Amino acid sequence: QVQLAESGGGLVQAGGSLRLSCAGSGGFFSAYPMGWLRQRPGKEREYVAAITRDGVHKYYSDSVKGRFAIYRDNTKSMVYLEMDRVNAEDAAVYYCAASRYEGGEYDYPPRYFGWGQGTEVIVSS
């Protein structure tokens, strides 16, 4: 099982940009599709984006499509989430995780495992 650690969160103004990073260790990182999910206070963890093992195919929730970009560097066991034009609804603790399997629908949180501690994104207006 891969171990994951998120970083890069912090304060960002509405309309601004932020890049989140996720470092993998203790597993064969490139063998797993990866996802980013987030959790807002009082809400369940929700899907944000996913990327296939080879980084070719990317998927996004409707709420972030066109604003966020997920990418990975398997040589460094890293996956990133570039957040652009953030808004108040993007404020949350963001987690990266490995997918349990290939294919299917990626917008299903139970398919993921190996959650890190998360990194918090705070949006100011």
Side-chain angles (χ1 to χ4, degrees), residues 27-122:
F28 191 22
F29 182 83
S30 62
Y32 302 103
M34 296 293 296
W36 282 97
L37 298 92
R38 66 189 181 187
Q39 188 168 27
R40 287 175 276 183
K43 297 184 180 295
E44 295 295 316
R45 197 169 297 178
E46 64 179 346
Y47 162 82
V48 175
I51 187 168
T52 54
R53 293 175 296 170
D54 58 6
V56 172
H57 301 287
K58 304 171 183 180
Y59 309 89
Y60 302 94
S61 68
D62 290 340
S63 64
V64 308
K65 191 175 298 181
R67 298 189 299 114
F68 290 9
I70 185 171
Y71 59 101
R72 67 192 297 165
D73 183 347
N74 287 340
T75 67
K76 297 181 173 65
S77 297
M78 297 288 292
V79 61
Y80 306 92
L81 185 69
E82 183 70 38
M83 307 169 62
D84 294 326
R85 302 188 300 281
V86 300
N87 56 52
E89 287 67 47
D90 296 323
V93 176
Y94 284 73
Y95 301 87
C96 64
S99 175
R100 298 181 185 276
Y101 47 87
E102 298 180 65
E105 299 297 326
Y106 283 96
D107 61 345
Y108 187 56
R111 73 180 290 161
Y112 297 97
F113 72 98
W115 309 98
Q117 293 297 304
T119 185
E120 186 175 12
V121 172
I122 303 169

